[in-house]
Amino acid sequence: MSLIIPSVFIIVITIAAARKVNVFSSFCAGAEEGLKFTLSLVPVLAAVFMMCKLFEISGIADALAAALSPAMRALGVPGELAKLALIKPFSGSGSLSLLTEVLEKYGADSYVSRCACTIYASSETVFYVFALYFAGTDKKGRALPLAVVLLSTILSTCLSCMLCRVL
Amino acid sequence: MNAIFTAVFIASAILLCFADPNAFLPALLDGAEQAATTFLTLFCIYTVWMGLSRVAADSGINGAIAKKMQPLCFKFFRTKSALGAQYAAMNITCNVLGLGGAATPFGIKAMKQFDGEGNLFGRNLLFILNATSVQIIPSTVIALRASFSSASPADVFAPALITTAICTGTAVALYFFTDKICRSLSRRSS
């Protein structure tokens, strides 16, 4: 597996050199394109990250987690994981620190921890991907895919816990 | 997004006025700082992969790979843009290979292409594929479990893979279905 990336570089650069492409200037042109691209994303990222931070420190996340934990228990998700499930769509680093807490508290091989790991591994930071991918595109028709993805995230949370019980 | 953003901002600001007014500004600055560090990380990923991608493009490799994947992407994303289909093909290839960082730049470029030709269907579908986690090997979690002295760190591999497969499939099917309903509804009303 670890050989994939170096081999890709070797293959591409060898073929480029064989076809008499100026590898250095092509690479620099690509890097410049990359810079322009990332720069255009920064304002959106800043706004979304601010929102996520506020969501966490204002206590809304905790309150929602407390309110949702009975419903989650009904769906088969351990109540202790309500906060993780809630933060995961917003913040990768936030949910990672929560996951670490859970592993520390319950031990790596407990049911709760295995659930937490599966939830973490099988879902994305939806709002982050949303901000990144939709930055600078037409505002029309964004709501439907977001709703679909959020639904599937809920499904993946429940399924994770179910599968952890069986497997 | 606008509604969520406004609601979260106002609600948390009001709550913080009561709980801890001094924490408000640091939280915003923290968010901005996180954006700055993310920018640096993204910039590093981008320069590497966009640089390589440009070399590959200039030597005609991208065209060759995309030609194989393109017919599928044309159909799947309902696009007419050759460039968009090519970027989408690269995005999916990188995701399947587990090169998440490399997949992102191609994904965003494909989104812009689809959006530019007014192909909201393809744009949204690509977002759904990327937002329902197409990661195949959860390396972070496995490493973390190992560091907490788990007896079998890779235990979560099977449930995570099954969950991802089912949920991505469900999301795509659900989107196809709801998109169809929306279209027929708008046709009826017009």
Side-chain angles (χ1 to χ4, degrees), chain A residues 17-128:
Chain A
R19 291 190 184 165
K20 302 211 164 36
V21 172
N22 188 334
V23 177
F24 179 70
S25 67
S26 279
F27 199 93
C28 291
E32 193 192 333
E33 229 174 289
L35 174 65
K36 280 187 193 143
F37 230 75
T38 12
L39 263 182
S40 72
L41 298 175
V42 177
V44 184
L45 286 181
V48 171
F49 283 147
M50 284 182 209
M51 181 184 84
C52 295
K53 267 268 151 23
L54 281 180
F55 188 71
E56 243 185 283
I57 69 147
S58 65
I60 297 181
D62 284 319
L64 268 178
L68 282 176
S69 68
M72 293 222 168
R73 233 170 250 142
L75 289 170
V77 181
E80 298 90 328
L81 300 182
K83 200 170 169 206
L84 175 71
L86 207 64
I87 295 287
K88 175 72 196 182
F90 287 95
S91 152
S93 52
S95 55
L96 189 60
S97 67
L98 281 175
L99 178 65
T100 320
E101 265 170 44
V102 170
L103 284 171
E104 211 162 356
K105 201 166 162 193
Y106 299 96
D109 288 319
S110 65
Y111 170 65
V112 173
S113 292
R114 281 191 299 130
C115 282
C117 288
T118 315
I119 291 174
Y120 182 88
S122 60
S123 64
E124 263 300 336
T125 44
V126 173
F127 288 98
Y128 170 77

Side-chain angles (χ1 to χ4, degrees), chain B residues 15-164:
Chain B
L15 276 173
L16 279 175
C17 280
F18 294 108
D20 187 5
N22 289 326
F24 184 68
L25 193 59
L28 293 185
L29 293 174
D30 235 31
E33 196 185 310
Q34 210 181 330
T37 47
T38 310
F39 161 69
L40 270 183
T41 329
L42 281 176
F43 168 70
C44 299
I45 298 170
Y46 271 53
T47 36
V48 171
W49 290 108
M50 295 293 289
L52 183 73
S53 141
R54 186 60 179 264
V55 174
D58 287 348
S59 50
I61 299 172
N62 277 5
I65 295 178
K67 223 173 234 165
K68 294 231 165 81
M69 294 275 287
Q70 247 174 3
L72 206 72
C73 284
F74 276 131
K75 224 174 175 176
F76 191 58
F77 293 107
R78 296 184 195 160
T79 180
K80 286 182 191 67
S81 151
L83 208 57
Q86 183 186 326
Y87 284 135
M90 296 297 282
N91 172 263
I92 293 170
T93 312
C94 289
N95 269 324
V96 170
L97 287 176
L99 311 172
T104 311
F106 294 120
I108 296 174
K109 291 216 139 200
M111 295 287 281
K112 288 235 161 90
Q113 287 291 330
F114 290 159
D115 194 61
E117 61 168 358
N119 176 10
L120 296 188
F121 176 84
R123 184 194 74 175
N124 294 344
L125 197 60
L126 188 66
F127 161 71
I128 288 174
L129 284 181
N130 277 281
T132 50
S133 179
V134 265
Q135 188 187 18
I136 289 181
I137 301 168
S139 45
T140 317
V141 170
I142 293 179
L144 201 63
R145 285 171 64 75
S147 77
F148 278 95
S149 57
S150 159
S152 51
D155 239 14
V156 291
F157 175 68
L161 188 63
I162 298 171
T163 309
T164 303

